């Protein structure tokens, strides 16, 4: 998982979902504090990154 914020334009270039679906998804994730939006950039908060890393590590142990 990258630590660098990403713009909506970059996300649109790298995904195959429609722009409206992407925007709706990003808004939903922001409302639930799973991602953060600062200016026009989206990022994953440190606490969510750490949880994701720990969960992945636990899955790799199984």
């Amino acid at each position: 998982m990258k630590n660098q914020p990403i713009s909506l334009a970059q996300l649109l270039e790298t995904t195959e979902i429609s722009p409206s679906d992407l925007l709706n998804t990003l808004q939903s994730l922001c409302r639930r504090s799973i991602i953060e939006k600062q200016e026009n950039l989206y990022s994953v908060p440190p606490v969510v990154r750490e949880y994701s890393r720990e969960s992945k590590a636990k899955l790799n142990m199984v």
Side-chain angles (χ1 to χ4, degrees):
M1 193 175 299
K2 294 182 181 181
N3 295 332
Q4 299 297 318
I6 189 168
S7 70
L8 179 58
Q10 290 171 306
L11 287 168
L12 286 168
E13 290 174 6
T14 59
T15 62
E16 295 182 15
I17 64 173
S18 72
S20 63
D21 285 345
L22 178 59
L23 191 54
N24 288 336
T25 300
L26 291 172
Q27 289 171 342
S28 175
L29 292 170
C30 284
R31 279 193 307 273
R32 293 183 278 153
S33 301
I34 296 172
I35 63 172
E36 296 174 336
K37 181 182 179 188
Q38 296 178 344
E39 297 178 19
N40 290 324
L41 299 174
Y42 294 90
S43 62
V44 177
V47 68
V48 175
R49 267 197 312 272
E50 183 61 27
Y51 177 81
S52 175
R53 240 188 309 264
E54 288 176 6
S55 295
K56 183 178 177 183
K58 287 178 184 176
L59 286 174
N60 288 337
M61 291 178 164
V62 176

